[in-house]
Amino acid sequence: MKKVLFATTALVATAGVASAEVAVTGWAEMGLFGGDNAMGMGIETQFFTDIDVLFRMSGETDNGLTFGAGVDLDENGAFTVNDDGGAFVFLSGNFGTVTMGDTDGALDWALQEANYGNAGSIADDETAHAGYLGSYGDGAYDGQILRYDNTFGDFGVALSVEMDDTGMMDTGFALGFRYGMDLGGADVGFGVGYQFIDVANYLPGNLSSIAIPAQDFDGEYDIFGISASVASNGFSANIEYTDFASDTAGEEEASHVSLGLGYTTGAITVSANYGIWDYSSKFAADSGDITGFGLAAAYDLGGGASIHAAYGVSDYSDIANAPAAFDDLETWSLGVALSF
Amino acid sequence: MKKVLFATTALVATAGVASAEVAVTGWAEMGLFGGDNAMGMGIETQFFTDIDVLFRMSGETDNGLTFGAGVDLDENGAFTVNDDGGAFVFLSGNFGTVTMGDTDGALDWALQEANYGNAGSIADDETAHAGYLGSYGDGAYDGQILRYDNTFGDFGVALSVEMDDTGMMDTGFALGFRYGMDLGGADVGFGVGYQFIDVANYLPGNLSSIAIPAQDFDGEYDIFGISASVASNGFSANIEYTDFASDTAGEEEASHVSLGLGYTTGAITVSANYGIWDYSSKFAADSGDITGFGLAAAYDLGGGASIHAAYGVSDYSDIANAPAAFDDLETWSLGVALSF
Amino acid sequence: MKKVLFATTALVATAGVASAEVAVTGWAEMGLFGGDNAMGMGIETQFFTDIDVLFRMSGETDNGLTFGAGVDLDENGAFTVNDDGGAFVFLSGNFGTVTMGDTDGALDWALQEANYGNAGSIADDETAHAGYLGSYGDGAYDGQILRYDNTFGDFGVALSVEMDDTGMMDTGFALGFRYGMDLGGADVGFGVGYQFIDVANYLPGNLSSIAIPAQDFDGEYDIFGISASVASNGFSANIEYTDFASDTAGEEEASHVSLGLGYTTGAITVSANYGIWDYSSKFAADSGDITGFGLAAAYDLGGGASIHAAYGVSDYSDIANAPAAFDDLETWSLGVALSF
């Protein structure tokens, strides 16, 4: 998205205030979407419109700390103090950066998920399928995350905490490391991390509680993840592995592998991703593989406008207890995305 | 409303991005309102305050297509993709303009409704009475309209579609033509169009389901409309005729005629409009004429501020089954409107 | 809060429009909060995030009246015309200023409440305790206040009205006077005023309907208030007295005294306030003193960033019928406040 900065620093110079900036940007999308809904039933092909205005604020303290915050026009939940509601606040200095609110936990911060080189779409079909994993254990509580991160040359480290406001569940936390280097003209990246969550009736990623009717996660879980990515000459690829291990004997567990591929040439970008869950319940009929893949293509018209097509499909057929409608759950969209 | 453009193009020149603009404007109103409410009961005369902030975004692709979108601060529904929620998105070029979202259908686009030369008001009393018709068959579904329009000299043409997201009703569509010319110093305009809608328990325009208790529109309807307008030396006048014909034998039907008059001299604008529905049900007690008229006056204080007074009244007395309270349903408002 | 003005007047000069300005500013807070909730139960110490974007609009008529309005991003209620919803609109000239919407009534306008010299906090603990009184009789109806105010040298006068939209209660109104002078380098201020309200099941200020279980205000009340304040060399102090007298024999009544102290030296501000209600019901077990005090401290980092700590405590122990949990109801917060 193109950033349209209101250089308020300059504008307010005569008013005698120091450095502070409110950037107002926006985006809009129009098109068509269709496929199957979350209940597994076909939906009428119909018009798609979406729009948002983004407020990004930044400033600097007298001794050189930078700070900022962001909220969007659509985030009506952002004004409840005990929930992030889509807003984030940060403070940054030599010590690193502290961010609170709607931000990535340390595991998500460290890993490269399968949307590497992704062409994007208006309805996010390519990242909404069951095989896609984007946020690991983040959001297991209220989504209000506190993360500290810092970089040392090519090396980055982060630590994050997410709390249960009721105090009934143990506090979640995560630790992540990432490393990036230039290897003969190719950008190579590695990430590894660990996350702890304490949950009830929980399913990771995009897994559907309708498709997996009964046997979900309860109790404490250790999540371990690792990813590798490479980008060169318009090509990009990544692989990511995650394991969710229960601390409770007999509880459900799962592991996940995903691959992402992208290619950009001139105005055209095409991308694909595939993911597979190995889901294991104590009941065989609730166990098995769940897969999904996504495709996206974009044509950049310049000036912030682009045409997007995307497709996503989920397959729960290996889970005996999953409803038949979830054997082949598809969504697609086609339209124009505009950024301002 | 006066437009306060943030000329972000200039401001961001140093940031290296091309043309993109976010215009932030606003308006506010304060005053008093009173009369009768939608249930036909008197309401306490009370304070009136309203406010909004408007975000209008625009850009241009590399090959010269222009695009844009708009959303207001009060449009919390704008962020649902299957509903327009008050937002609109457009793409424009030599081929014409394609607009999706909260926009006029082709019939509404073509016709001049009775608010021609209207002085405006804070509570819209002059356009909220039963005799006023402003949107024809638009909004019969979810209000998410796709319209194509183009102009060839003085001549304009538009085509629009509005879909039923459940797929149970036939897709609505409309076609409109308009023509404008300068006739010896007078601006003369003509509009004609056709719209198809498929509805259930529907009443056109501002007609009240409380006042017409049982016999409303069901099934497929053909709407035909025509309008003519003239403006010269501060005077303006228009006439508009619309016919709603049912495709189902024995179903309710209606036709509508309205007149609008306006006059502006210096800072003062006064306007009036009158409309009459000929509503026919298979039951005589639900049939008859429904009329309404509206008056508005404004005094322009300059700089975006103006004083407004308005009155509107609806009369269902010719409908035997309408409650007595609807024989003379009045609303009024008085206050200041400010634009920024 | 630092104002970041978009000097739209200059920017739009080329567009040919006169003077109109939309200022977009914002703030954000992050930290921790804890203590007891409004039900008297302990709450889990947890993350605190809050954010807002402010739109302040202003203009000028051709003959020199100034006008303006304001609304914030979090004020979703601002778009209902019969409620203020957090928005305000004003018109100002030689005759004084008329403001409608979310604004102080004349008594609140005249008096200096106990937050004089207040360091501020992220969770407002220091002004949310039971001993704090900030709005007198304002908000007894729908919060949509019309106030006229004017100043004559050091002397100011205001008159305000707040209406009951149902028409069942008598219209509330208030009258206030204030006077400020420089006394040997010290800023000295006095305020006095009167307010009339007509209420049902009402409790003034921050008094809790859970803590005072049954005997609240009903009927017409006369509120009389007076305050004095002084500020010099970084020190500030004020005292305020308010009396709520019922027009109905045997109804509950109350009087309130509060003190505020503040001190600023360099980047540091510390402040404290204390308030006491003398609450009298016809039942002895519902009568007694209710007290509260608040502490706040801030360290200004410059550039709009500051660190804040605050504490507030409420004590209903003198009210025999109040639940025991309300003998010592505490809240606290610690964090960073950022303004843009």
Side-chain angles (χ1 to χ4, degrees):
Chain A
M1 200 171 334
K2 187 166 297 169
K3 261 209 164 163
V4 183
L5 279 179
F6 288 102
T8 56
T9 308
L11 287 177
V12 298
T14 55
V17 299
S19 59
E21 211 169 63
V22 179
V24 182
T25 62
W27 56 260
E29 298 168 335
M30 65 172 165
L32 290 169
F33 72 105
D36 304 307
N37 69 12
M39 312 298 284
M41 291 179 291
I43 52 172
E44 186 74 6
T45 294
Q46 59 192 266
F47 294 144
F48 180 102
T49 50
D50 202 4
I51 191 166
D52 211 351
V53 177
L54 284 61
F55 303 94
R56 295 293 176 266
M57 308 184 266
S58 58
E60 188 175 336
T61 69
D62 289 348
N63 62 358
L65 297 180
T66 56
F67 57 86
V71 65
D72 299 347
L73 185 58
D74 72 342
E75 282 158 0
N76 290 316
F79 311 111
T80 307
V81 301
N82 60 353
D83 192 293
D84 72 279
F88 64 88
V89 187
F90 71 86
L91 193 61
S92 191
N94 289 334
F95 63 87
T97 298
V98 173
T99 309
M100 191 183 281
D102 178 21
T103 192
D104 288 346
L107 178 59
D108 192 11
W109 176 91
L111 300 194
Q112 174 57 57
E113 63 206 58
N115 66 350
Y116 197 51
N118 186 17
S121 68
I122 62 170
D124 301 332
D125 309 283
E126 81 282 13
T127 60
H129 60 79
Y132 195 83
L133 175 61
S135 56
Y136 311 97
D138 290 354
Y141 309 92
D142 64 355
Q144 199 178 24
I145 291 170
L146 172 67
R147 185 187 73 234
Y148 162 81
D149 58 78
N150 204 353
T151 52
F152 307 92
D154 296 334
F155 189 76
V157 61
L159 188 65
S160 68
V161 176
E162 185 178 352
M163 294 171 72
D164 176 31
D165 293 351
T166 66
M168 294 169 59
M169 299 294 184
D170 283 356
T171 296
F173 64 89
L175 182 64
F177 303 93
R178 65 185 187 197
Y179 181 74
M181 59 178 171
D182 186 310
L183 203 70
D187 287 326
V188 178
F190 298 100
V192 63
Y194 166 81
Q195 186 162 21
F196 168 84
I197 56 173
D198 186 6
V199 294
N201 300 115
Y202 176 88
L203 281 171
N206 297 334
L207 293 181
S208 161
S209 61
I210 299 167
I212 302 175
Q215 307 306 321
D216 48 25
F217 286 15
D218 293 279
E220 302 184 358
Y221 280 80
D222 297 302
I223 312 171
F224 171 78
I226 187 163
S227 72
S229 63
V230 59
S232 177
N233 290 322
F235 285 96
S236 58
N238 84 301
I239 183 164
E240 169 266 345
Y241 170 81
T242 314
D243 183 69
F244 290 73
S246 172
D247 293 358
T248 312
E251 262 299 326
E252 278 66 29
E253 297 188 319
S255 65
H256 176 263
V257 177
S258 65
L259 298 162
L261 293 169
Y263 179 59
T264 298
T265 176
I268 297 172
T269 298
V270 290
S271 60
N273 73 77
Y274 172 82
I276 179 166
W277 283 98
D278 177 3
Y279 195 85
S280 73
S281 165
K282 56 183 170 284
F283 302 106
D286 292 303
S287 302
D289 290 346
I290 301 149
T291 62
F293 71 88
L295 300 171
Y299 185 85
D300 187 355
L301 299 168
S306 49
I307 301 171
H308 292 265
Y311 171 80
V313 61
S314 304
D315 177 0
Y316 289 84
S317 59
D318 198 40
I319 305 284
N321 272 345
F326 287 80
D327 286 2
D328 183 26
L329 199 74
E330 300 173 301
T331 69
W332 62 268
S333 65
L334 173 65
V336 179
L338 311 170
S339 65
F340 305 95
Chain B
M1 199 173 336
K2 186 169 296 169
K3 260 211 160 160
V4 183
L5 279 180
F6 288 102
T8 55
T9 308
L11 285 176
V12 298
T14 56
V17 297
S19 59
E21 212 169 62
V22 179
V24 182
T25 61
W27 55 261
E29 298 168 335
M30 65 172 163
L32 292 169
F33 72 105
D36 305 307
N37 68 13
M39 313 297 284
M41 292 179 290
I43 53 171
E44 186 75 7
T45 294
Q46 60 192 266
F47 294 145
F48 179 103
T49 49
D50 203 5
I51 193 167
D52 212 351
V53 177
L54 284 63
F55 303 95
R56 296 292 175 267
M57 309 184 265
S58 57
E60 188 176 333
T61 68
D62 289 349
N63 61 357
L65 297 181
T66 56
F67 57 85
V71 65
D72 300 345
L73 186 56
D74 72 341
E75 283 159 0
N76 290 316
F79 312 111
T80 308
V81 300
N82 59 354
D83 192 294
D84 73 279
F88 64 88
V89 187
F90 71 86
L91 193 61
S92 191
N94 289 334
F95 63 86
T97 299
V98 173
T99 309
M100 192 184 281
D102 179 20
T103 192
D104 290 345
L107 177 59
D108 193 10
W109 176 91
L111 299 194
Q112 174 58 56
E113 63 204 57
N115 68 348
Y116 196 52
N118 185 18
S121 68
I122 62 171
D124 302 332
D125 310 283
E126 82 281 13
T127 59
H129 60 80
Y132 195 84
L133 175 62
S135 56
Y136 310 96
D138 289 355
Y141 308 93
D142 64 355
Q144 199 178 25
I145 291 171
L146 171 68
R147 187 187 70 235
Y148 163 79
D149 59 77
N150 204 354
T151 50
F152 307 92
D154 296 333
F155 189 75
V157 60
L159 188 64
S160 68
V161 175
E162 185 178 352
M163 293 170 73
D164 176 32
D165 292 352
T166 66
M168 292 170 60
M169 299 294 184
D170 283 356
T171 296
F173 64 89
L175 182 64
F177 302 93
R178 65 185 187 197
Y179 181 74
M181 60 177 168
D182 187 311
L183 203 69
D187 286 327
V188 177
F190 298 100
V192 61
Y194 165 81
Q195 186 161 22
F196 168 85
I197 57 173
D198 185 7
V199 293
N201 300 113
Y202 177 86
L203 280 171
N206 297 334
L207 293 181
S208 160
S209 61
I210 299 167
I212 302 177
Q215 306 306 320
D216 48 24
F217 287 15
D218 292 280
E220 303 185 357
Y221 279 80
D222 297 302
I223 312 173
F224 171 78
I226 188 164
S227 74
S229 64
V230 58
S232 177
N233 291 319
F235 286 96
S236 58
N238 84 300
I239 183 164
E240 170 265 345
Y241 170 81
T242 314
D243 182 70
F244 290 74
S246 171
D247 294 356
T248 313
E251 262 299 327
E252 278 66 31
E253 297 188 317
S255 65
H256 176 264
V257 177
S258 66
L259 298 164
L261 294 170
Y263 178 60
T264 298
T265 176
I268 298 172
T269 298
V270 289
S271 60
N273 72 77
Y274 172 81
I276 180 167
W277 283 99
D278 177 3
Y279 195 84
S280 73
S281 165
K282 56 182 169 286
F283 301 106
D286 292 305
S287 301
D289 290 345
I290 301 151
T291 63
F293 71 88
L295 300 172
Y299 185 85
D300 187 355
L301 299 167
S306 48
I307 301 171
H308 292 265
Y311 171 80
V313 61
S314 304
D315 177 0
Y316 290 82
S317 59
D318 197 40
I319 306 281
N321 271 346
F326 286 81
D327 286 2
D328 183 26
L329 200 75
E330 299 174 303
T331 69
W332 62 267
S333 66
L334 174 65
V336 180
L338 311 170
S339 66
F340 307 94
Chain C
M1 197 171 335
K2 187 167 296 169
K3 260 206 162 163
V4 182
L5 279 180
F6 289 101
T8 55
T9 308
L11 286 176
V12 298
T14 55
V17 297
S19 59
E21 212 169 61
V22 179
V24 183
T25 62
W27 56 260
E29 298 168 335
M30 65 171 164
L32 291 168
F33 73 105
D36 305 307
N37 68 13
M39 313 298 282
M41 292 179 290
I43 52 172
E44 186 75 5
T45 294
Q46 60 191 266
F47 294 145
F48 179 104
T49 48
D50 203 5
I51 193 167
D52 212 352
V53 177
L54 285 61
F55 303 94
R56 296 292 175 265
M57 308 185 264
S58 58
E60 189 177 334
T61 68
D62 289 348
N63 62 357
L65 296 179
T66 55
F67 58 86
V71 64
D72 300 346
L73 186 57
D74 72 342
E75 283 158 359
N76 290 316
F79 312 110
T80 308
V81 301
N82 59 353
D83 192 292
D84 73 279
F88 64 88
V89 187
F90 71 86
L91 193 61
S92 192
N94 289 334
F95 63 88
T97 298
V98 173
T99 309
M100 192 183 281
D102 179 21
T103 192
D104 289 346
L107 178 60
D108 192 11
W109 176 90
L111 299 193
Q112 174 56 57
E113 62 205 59
N115 67 349
Y116 197 52
N118 185 19
S121 68
I122 62 170
D124 302 330
D125 310 283
E126 80 282 12
T127 60
H129 60 79
Y132 195 83
L133 175 61
S135 57
Y136 311 95
D138 290 354
Y141 308 93
D142 64 355
Q144 199 178 24
I145 291 171
L146 172 67
R147 185 187 73 234
Y148 163 80
D149 59 76
N150 204 354
T151 51
F152 307 92
D154 295 335
F155 189 76
V157 60
L159 187 66
S160 68
V161 176
E162 185 178 352
M163 294 170 72
D164 176 32
D165 293 351
T166 66
M168 293 169 61
M169 300 294 183
D170 283 356
T171 296
F173 64 90
L175 182 65
F177 302 92
R178 66 185 187 197
Y179 180 75
M181 61 178 169
D182 187 310
L183 202 71
D187 287 325
V188 178
F190 297 100
V192 63
Y194 166 80
Q195 187 162 20
F196 168 85
I197 57 172
D198 185 7
V199 294
N201 301 114
Y202 177 86
L203 280 170
N206 297 333
L207 293 182
S208 161
S209 61
I210 298 167
I212 301 177
Q215 307 305 321
D216 49 23
F217 288 14
D218 292 281
E220 302 183 0
Y221 280 80
D222 297 303
I223 312 171
F224 171 79
I226 187 162
S227 74
S229 65
V230 59
S232 177
N233 290 321
F235 285 97
S236 58
N238 84 301
I239 182 164
E240 169 267 344
Y241 171 80
T242 314
D243 183 70
F244 289 74
S246 171
D247 294 357
T248 313
E251 261 300 326
E252 279 65 30
E253 297 188 317
S255 65
H256 177 265
V257 176
S258 66
L259 297 163
L261 293 170
Y263 178 60
T264 299
T265 177
I268 297 172
T269 298
V270 290
S271 60
N273 72 78
Y274 172 82
I276 180 166
W277 284 97
D278 178 3
Y279 196 84
S280 74
S281 166
K282 56 182 171 286
F283 301 106
D286 292 305
S287 301
D289 290 346
I290 302 148
T291 63
F293 72 88
L295 300 171
Y299 185 84
D300 188 355
L301 299 168
S306 48
I307 301 171
H308 292 265
Y311 171 79
V313 62
S314 305
D315 178 0
Y316 289 83
S317 60
D318 198 39
I319 306 281
N321 272 345
F326 286 81
D327 287 1
D328 183 25
L329 199 73
E330 299 173 303
T331 70
W332 63 268
S333 65
L334 172 67
V336 180
L338 311 170
S339 66
F340 307 93

PDB file of all heavy atoms in Angstrom, chain C residues 119-133:
ATOM      1  N   ALA C 119      -1.687  15.607  37.031  1.00  0.00           N
ATOM      2  CA  ALA C 119      -0.646  15.002  36.197  1.00  0.00           C
ATOM      3  C   ALA C 119      -1.216  14.117  35.104  1.00  0.00           C
ATOM      4  O   ALA C 119      -0.543  13.809  34.132  1.00  0.00           O
ATOM      5  CB  ALA C 119       0.307  14.185  37.068  1.00  0.00           C
ATOM      6  N   GLY C 120      -2.466  13.685  35.268  1.00  0.00           N
ATOM      7  CA  GLY C 120      -3.107  12.829  34.270  1.00  0.00           C
ATOM      8  C   GLY C 120      -2.650  11.394  34.355  1.00  0.00           C
ATOM      9  O   GLY C 120      -1.649  11.074  35.010  1.00  0.00           O
ATOM     10  N   SER C 121      -3.397  10.486  33.728  1.00  0.00           N
ATOM     11  CA  SER C 121      -3.040   9.067  33.769  1.00  0.00           C
ATOM     12  C   SER C 121      -3.655   8.371  32.581  1.00  0.00           C
ATOM     13  O   SER C 121      -4.471   8.947  31.853  1.00  0.00           O
ATOM     14  CB  SER C 121      -3.552   8.436  35.065  1.00  0.00           C
ATOM     15  OG  SER C 121      -4.955   8.387  35.056  1.00  0.00           O
ATOM     16  N   ILE C 122      -3.259   7.111  32.354  1.00  0.00           N
ATOM     17  CA  ILE C 122      -3.805   6.398  31.204  1.00  0.00           C
ATOM     18  C   ILE C 122      -5.194   5.854  31.496  1.00  0.00           C
ATOM     19  O   ILE C 122      -6.024   5.767  30.610  1.00  0.00           O
ATOM     20  CB  ILE C 122      -2.862   5.282  30.697  1.00  0.00           C
ATOM     21  CG1 ILE C 122      -2.625   4.201  31.744  1.00  0.00           C
ATOM     22  CG2 ILE C 122      -1.527   5.866  30.227  1.00  0.00           C
ATOM     23  CD1 ILE C 122      -1.900   2.968  31.180  1.00  0.00           C
ATOM     24  N   ALA C 123      -5.495   5.493  32.762  1.00  0.00           N
ATOM     25  CA  ALA C 123      -6.795   4.893  33.072  1.00  0.00           C
ATOM     26  C   ALA C 123      -7.680   5.811  33.915  1.00  0.00           C
ATOM     27  O   ALA C 123      -8.742   5.388  34.363  1.00  0.00           O
ATOM     28  CB  ALA C 123      -6.618   3.555  33.772  1.00  0.00           C
ATOM     29  N   ASP C 124      -7.262   7.065  34.109  1.00  0.00           N
ATOM     30  CA  ASP C 124      -8.060   8.055  34.836  1.00  0.00           C
ATOM     31  C   ASP C 124      -8.407   7.643  36.260  1.00  0.00           C
ATOM     32  O   ASP C 124      -9.431   8.061  36.812  1.00  0.00           O
ATOM     33  CB  ASP C 124      -9.365   8.364  34.069  1.00  0.00           C
ATOM     34  CG  ASP C 124      -9.090   8.867  32.667  1.00  0.00           C
ATOM     35  OD1 ASP C 124      -8.034   9.496  32.458  1.00  0.00           O
ATOM     36  OD2 ASP C 124      -9.930   8.642  31.788  1.00  0.00           O
ATOM     37  N   ASP C 125      -7.555   6.837  36.881  1.00  0.00           N
ATOM     38  CA  ASP C 125      -7.827   6.376  38.253  1.00  0.00           C
ATOM     39  C   ASP C 125      -8.019   7.528  39.220  1.00  0.00           C
ATOM     40  O   ASP C 125      -8.830   7.462  40.142  1.00  0.00           O
ATOM     41  CB  ASP C 125      -6.655   5.507  38.745  1.00  0.00           C
ATOM     42  CG  ASP C 125      -6.296   4.436  37.753  1.00  0.00           C
ATOM     43  OD1 ASP C 125      -7.026   3.441  37.689  1.00  0.00           O
ATOM     44  OD2 ASP C 125      -5.304   4.620  37.029  1.00  0.00           O
ATOM     45  N   GLU C 126      -7.249   8.612  39.028  1.00  0.00           N
ATOM     46  CA  GLU C 126      -7.268   9.701  39.994  1.00  0.00           C
ATOM     47  C   GLU C 126      -8.542  10.539  39.912  1.00  0.00           C
ATOM     48  O   GLU C 126      -8.809  11.343  40.803  1.00  0.00           O
ATOM     49  CB  GLU C 126      -6.024  10.591  39.815  1.00  0.00           C
ATOM     50  CG  GLU C 126      -6.107  11.598  38.690  1.00  0.00           C
ATOM     51  CD  GLU C 126      -5.879  10.999  37.308  1.00  0.00           C
ATOM     52  OE1 GLU C 126      -5.885   9.769  37.192  1.00  0.00           O
ATOM     53  OE2 GLU C 126      -5.728  11.779  36.353  1.00  0.00           O
ATOM     54  N   THR C 127      -9.334  10.372  38.864  1.00  0.00           N
ATOM     55  CA  THR C 127     -10.594  11.114  38.774  1.00  0.00           C
ATOM     56  C   THR C 127     -11.813  10.201  38.703  1.00  0.00           C
ATOM     57  O   THR C 127     -12.924  10.665  38.482  1.00  0.00           O
ATOM     58  CB  THR C 127     -10.601  12.044  37.541  1.00  0.00           C
ATOM     59  OG1 THR C 127     -10.430  11.238  36.360  1.00  0.00           O
ATOM     60  CG2 THR C 127      -9.488  13.075  37.606  1.00  0.00           C
ATOM     61  N   ALA C 128     -11.608   8.898  38.868  1.00  0.00           N
ATOM     62  CA  ALA C 128     -12.719   7.950  38.759  1.00  0.00           C
ATOM     63  C   ALA C 128     -13.191   7.447  40.120  1.00  0.00           C
ATOM     64  O   ALA C 128     -14.133   6.668  40.193  1.00  0.00           O
ATOM     65  CB  ALA C 128     -12.300   6.767  37.885  1.00  0.00           C
ATOM     66  N   HIS C 129     -12.569   7.899  41.189  1.00  0.00           N
ATOM     67  CA  HIS C 129     -12.971   7.423  42.529  1.00  0.00           C
ATOM     68  C   HIS C 129     -14.256   8.122  42.989  1.00  0.00           C
ATOM     69  O   HIS C 129     -14.689   9.118  42.405  1.00  0.00           O
ATOM     70  CB  HIS C 129     -11.829   7.639  43.525  1.00  0.00           C
ATOM     71  CG  HIS C 129     -11.408   9.065  43.693  1.00  0.00           C
ATOM     72  ND1 HIS C 129     -12.110   9.960  44.467  1.00  0.00           N
ATOM     73  CD2 HIS C 129     -10.362   9.766  43.177  1.00  0.00           C
ATOM     74  CE1 HIS C 129     -11.501  11.145  44.431  1.00  0.00           C
ATOM     75  NE2 HIS C 129     -10.440  11.050  43.647  1.00  0.00           N
ATOM     76  N   ALA C 130     -14.857   7.573  44.050  1.00  0.00           N
ATOM     77  CA  ALA C 130     -16.168   8.050  44.506  1.00  0.00           C
ATOM     78  C   ALA C 130     -16.128   9.468  45.045  1.00  0.00           C
ATOM     79  O   ALA C 130     -17.145  10.165  45.059  1.00  0.00           O
ATOM     80  CB  ALA C 130     -16.712   7.102  45.581  1.00  0.00           C
ATOM     81  N   GLY C 131     -14.966   9.933  45.469  1.00  0.00           N
ATOM     82  CA  GLY C 131     -14.869  11.285  46.029  1.00  0.00           C
ATOM     83  C   GLY C 131     -14.757  12.378  44.980  1.00  0.00           C
ATOM     84  O   GLY C 131     -14.766  13.563  45.318  1.00  0.00           O
ATOM     85  N   TYR C 132     -14.647  11.981  43.720  1.00  0.00           N
ATOM     86  CA  TYR C 132     -14.435  12.973  42.664  1.00  0.00           C
ATOM     87  C   TYR C 132     -15.770  13.404  42.056  1.00  0.00           C
ATOM     88  O   TYR C 132     -16.642  12.580  41.767  1.00  0.00           O
ATOM     89  CB  TYR C 132     -13.547  12.393  41.562  1.00  0.00           C
ATOM     90  CG  TYR C 132     -13.006  13.459  40.645  1.00  0.00           C
ATOM     91  CD1 TYR C 132     -11.877  14.189  40.993  1.00  0.00           C
ATOM     92  CD2 TYR C 132     -13.649  13.763  39.459  1.00  0.00           C
ATOM     93  CE1 TYR C 132     -11.392  15.185  40.169  1.00  0.00           C
ATOM     94  CE2 TYR C 132     -13.171  14.754  38.630  1.00  0.00           C
ATOM     95  CZ  TYR C 132     -12.042  15.459  38.992  1.00  0.00           C
ATOM     96  OH  TYR C 132     -11.576  16.449  38.174  1.00  0.00           O
ATOM     97  N   LEU C 133     -15.935  14.705  41.839  1.00  0.00           N
ATOM     98  CA  LEU C 133     -17.133  15.228  41.199  1.00  0.00           C
ATOM     99  C   LEU C 133     -16.692  16.125  40.055  1.00  0.00           C
ATOM    100  O   LEU C 133     -16.014  17.134  40.270  1.00  0.00           O
ATOM    101  CB  LEU C 133     -17.981  16.016  42.201  1.00  0.00           C
ATOM    102  CG  LEU C 133     -19.221  16.726  41.633  1.00  0.00           C
ATOM    103  CD1 LEU C 133     -20.197  15.729  41.009  1.00  0.00           C
ATOM    104  CD2 LEU C 133     -19.913  17.533  42.724  1.00  0.00           C
TER     105      LEU C 133
END
